[in-house]
Amino acid sequence: MDLTDFGAGAQYIAGRQSRGNGEPFQIVNPADGSVVEQVALATTAEVDAAVAAARAALPGWAAATPGARAEALNRLAAVLTRAGDDLARVETAQTGKPVRLATEFDVPGTIDNAAFFAGAARNLEGKAAGEYSGDHTSYVRREPVGVVGSVSPWNYPLQMAAWKILPAIAAGNTIVLKPAELTPLTSLMFARACTEAGIPDGVVNVVTGAGRTAGEHLVSHPDVAMVSFTGSTAVGRRVAELAVAGVKRTHLELGGKAPFVVFDDADLDAAVHGAVAASLINGGQDCTAATRAYVQRPLYDAFVAGVAELYAAVRVGDPLDPRTDLGPLVSYTHRDRVAAFVERARAYATVVTGGRIPARGHDGTDLTRGAYYPPTLVTDAAQDSEIVQGEVFGPVLVVLPFDTDDQGLRLANDTPYGLAASAWTTNVHRSLRATREIAAGCVWVNDHIPIISEMPHGGYKASGYGKDMSQYSLDEYTQVKHVMFDTTAVARKDWHRTVFGDR
C-alpha cells in the first residue's frame, strides 16, 4: 500500500479513502507557497458516515483480547518504521518544519508511541479483588468508553494523530479523528498504516474538514462517547461547551506559555543552549516551547548576550536542507500573526535580535515566497504585557530579570497557563522547590522539551486537563466498573433490616 497516494481524497472511513462533499481546499507548502495537495473538505455527512463506521466496528474491537490489540499495534509500529522516510517528507511538505526534526523527532517518537501502547494494551490496572465488605467479593473492570471523537492541531500532525489514536484503540475504543485541515496528510497516512497493520476497518477513521462544521458536528455527535481535543484554549472552551451538553467525557490539551526559570547558580552555558533549542523547536510552534525566560539578575546580561549570539547563528532556510535549523511557520497568516505580536511589542519593549521577515536563507536562497520568521529575542517587557502573557506560538523568546527565588517562582506562575516549565539550577533544594511550586503538568530541571512515551503530558489551569502518552492516557480511555458478588448465599441478610422488618 502506498501511504502517500492521496488521489482518492482526504477522508478515511471504514478502511477506504474517499473524497469529501465540501469545499475544495489547498494544502500549501509554507516554504514556497506551492500546492502539496488539493482536497475536498468533509461535510457533516462524512462525519456521520465515519461515526457510523466507528460504531459498527466497536463491538468486535472492544471484544478483542488485549493481546490481540497489542499484536496489531506492534504490526503498526513496523509499518510506520518502513514508511519513516515518506512520513518525514510529507510532514515537512505540509508543515514547513525542518526535515531533520521530522526525521529525528516526529517520526521516531510516533513509532515509539505505537510500541509503547502495544505493551500498555496488556496492562489494565485496578484495585485487587477482595472481600472489602466481608460478605462480598469486589473487583474492577476497565472497559472501553465507546466511539471517541478527536480533534488534533496543525503543529505536530503525525505525533498528534498518534497521541489521539493509539491510547484510544489500545483500550478497545474506536475513533474518528479530525486533523487540522492545514496539515491532514500524515494523519491520513497513519490511518492507512493502521489498515495495513491489520486493524479492522472502522476502528480508525479520519475526516478532514473545517472546525466549525466537521469539528463541531463530531464533538456534538450523539454517538460519540468521548471527546479529545488539542489546540488553543479559546477553541477548547467551545469544545467543552459542546461536549458537556451531551455529557461526554472530555480531554483537553490546550495552550501554553512555558516559563524557563534560570537561578543564579545555574550552568549558564547549558541554560543558554537549552533556551535556544527549547524556544525554536518546531519554529516555536509548540505549546511546551520556552517562551518566557526569567533569569536571576546576576546572570541576566550574560544570558541575553548568549542567546542573542546563538540566535544570530541559527540557519534559516529550506526545510528539506538537512543543514537548516529553522524552516517557515505553518502559513502566511500565522507568520503575520507572530510578526504582529512583535511589532506591537516595539512600543513597550526592546527587540534585541530578529523581528524582521528574512529575505535570504543561510545559504543565500530566496525566502520571500515562504512564511519565514527569524529567531526573535525581546527584553524590557512588563510582566503584564501582551508579549509576556499571550501565546505567540512562534520563534520568539522574552527574557525578564528577577531578584529573589520567591519572585522568580511567582512570575513563572503568573499567566493563565500551566502546561510545561523548566528550572535551571545546580542546587537540589532550589530544584525541589521549583518542581513543587511551579503549577504546570511537566517541570523539567536543567533541560526543556524532552518527552517520553512512558510519562504523561498534560496541563494545569487554562492549559486543560487529561493526559496524553503513558499509562495514565490509556486509563482515561477506559470506563471503570465495580463488580460485586455476594459470598454468603444468605437469602435474608442483616442489612435488609435497615430497610424493612425486624431483626
Side-chain angles (χ1 to χ4, degrees):
M1 179 184 295
D2 180 5
L3 301 185
T4 65
D5 181 5
F6 305 108
Q11 318 304 323
Y12 198 80
I13 301 170
R16 288 172 291 281
Q17 205 156 327
S18 61
R19 296 184 182 278
N21 291 306
E23 296 294 320
F25 186 84
Q26 291 183 337
I27 299 164
V28 174
N29 185 333
D32 57 13
S34 62
V35 177
V36 180
E37 292 287 341
Q38 181 158 312
V39 302
L41 295 179
T43 65
T44 56
E46 283 77 56
V47 175
D48 289 340
V51 173
R55 187 178 181 186
L58 180 63
W61 185 247
T65 65
R69 294 198 293 266
E71 289 176 2
L73 292 179
N74 275 320
R75 293 194 300 270
L76 174 61
V79 173
L80 295 171
T81 299
R82 292 194 296 272
D85 289 344
D86 286 339
L87 287 165
R89 176 177 53 80
V90 174
E91 192 79 331
T92 293
Q94 67 178 352
T95 65
K97 69 178 63 191
V99 71
R100 178 154 43 104
L101 181 69
T103 301
E104 299 180 15
F105 182 75
D106 299 62
V107 171
T110 300
I111 295 167
D112 188 67
N113 287 164
F116 172 81
F117 280 108
R122 306 182 74 153
N123 184 36
L124 298 177
E125 293 189 343
K127 196 173 184 70
E131 290 67 53
Y132 296 98
S133 77
D135 294 334
H136 308 82
T137 295
S138 289
Y139 66 85
V140 166
R141 290 178 56 86
R142 283 194 178 271
E143 298 177 347
V145 178
V147 176
V148 178
S150 291
V151 179
S152 59
W154 48 256
N155 57 336
Y156 288 102
L158 176 63
Q159 285 199 319
M160 293 299 99
W163 286 17
K164 301 299 185 193
I165 292 169
L166 291 169
I169 68 174
N173 303 283
T174 57
I175 189 168
V176 178
L177 174 74
K178 193 208 84 68
E181 61 268 34
L182 287 176
T183 57
L185 300 180
T186 48
S187 299
L188 290 163
M189 293 173 70
F190 191 96
R192 296 184 75 177
C194 289
T195 298
E196 186 170 331
I199 294 171
D201 293 348
V203 172
V204 177
N205 308 274
V206 175
V207 289
T208 301
R212 290 195 175 274
T213 52
E216 292 202 358
H217 190 62
L218 176 61
V219 301
S220 304
H221 201 288
D223 290 334
V224 168
M226 177 177 174
V227 170
S228 176
F229 171 80
T230 296
S232 72
T233 297
V235 178
R237 290 191 182 98
R238 174 61 176 163
V239 169
E241 290 171 0
L242 295 170
V244 76
V247 199
K248 304 176 191 297
R249 184 178 297 195
T250 310
H251 169 194
L252 302 175
E253 198 266 89
L254 307 177
K257 190 70 179 176
F260 187 101
V261 184
V262 182
F263 294 96
D264 58 13
D265 65 338
D267 181 325
L268 179 62
D269 192 49
V272 166
H273 281 79
V276 171
S279 61
L280 299 185
I281 186 170
N282 205 43
Q285 301 165 124
D286 185 314
C287 47
T288 64
T291 60
R292 300 177 289 138
Y294 296 102
V295 183
Q296 208 151 21
R297 207 168 292 274
L299 296 185
Y300 177 80
D301 289 339
F303 180 89
V304 170
V307 171
E309 181 180 359
L310 289 184
Y311 268 10
V314 167
R315 295 167 295 191
V316 180
D318 179 2
L320 289 175
D321 182 346
R323 298 171 299 163
T324 291
D325 301 319
L326 185 68
L329 302 187
V330 73
S331 69
Y332 305 105
T333 298
H334 185 63
R335 188 269 315 276
D336 292 346
R337 176 185 176 276
V338 170
F341 264 96
V342 176
E343 290 308 305
R344 290 191 296 270
R346 292 184 192 277
Y348 56 80
T350 301
V351 178
V352 176
T353 187
R356 303 291 184 193
I357 295 174
R360 296 287 172 186
H362 64 90
D363 58 356
T365 55
D366 181 8
L367 301 183
T368 56
R369 291 187 300 159
Y372 291 91
Y373 198 76
T376 299
L377 182 62
V378 178
T379 60
D380 303 322
Q383 174 66 17
D384 62 356
S385 63
E386 180 193 47
I387 200 77
V388 174
Q389 295 290 323
E391 191 175 22
V392 179
F393 223 59
V396 179
L397 179 66
V398 185
V399 186
L400 300 91
F402 70 92
D403 293 303
T404 67
D405 290 15
D406 288 348
Q407 182 190 24
L409 296 174
R410 178 179 59 77
L411 292 171
N413 285 329
D414 185 28
T415 72
Y417 302 105
L419 187 58
S422 63
W424 297 75
T425 176
T426 55
N427 183 297
V428 66
H429 302 291
R430 269 178 161 166
S431 65
L432 288 170
R433 181 187 178 191
T435 57
R436 182 175 65 250
E437 294 187 11
I438 293 176
C442 175
V443 181
W444 292 280
V445 177
N446 296 330
D447 209 343
H448 192 119
I449 284 297
I451 53 175
I452 49 175
S453 297
E454 292 82 358
M455 288 293 160
H457 175 87
Y460 286 19
K461 303 190 295 185
S463 292
Y465 46 81
K467 299 299 178 185
D468 290 311
M469 299 194 296
S470 80
Q471 185 72 35
Y472 296 98
S473 179
L474 182 79
D475 291 349
E476 290 191 4
Y477 287 90
T478 65
Q479 300 186 92
V480 175
K481 178 186 287 183
H482 171 214
V483 178
M484 179 180 266
F485 286 86
D486 169 64
T487 60
T488 66
V490 173
R492 300 184 179 186
K493 296 178 170 59
D494 184 63
W495 79 264
H496 295 170
R497 303 291 75 80
T498 65
V499 181
F500 72 98
D502 299 323
R503 281 185 169 80

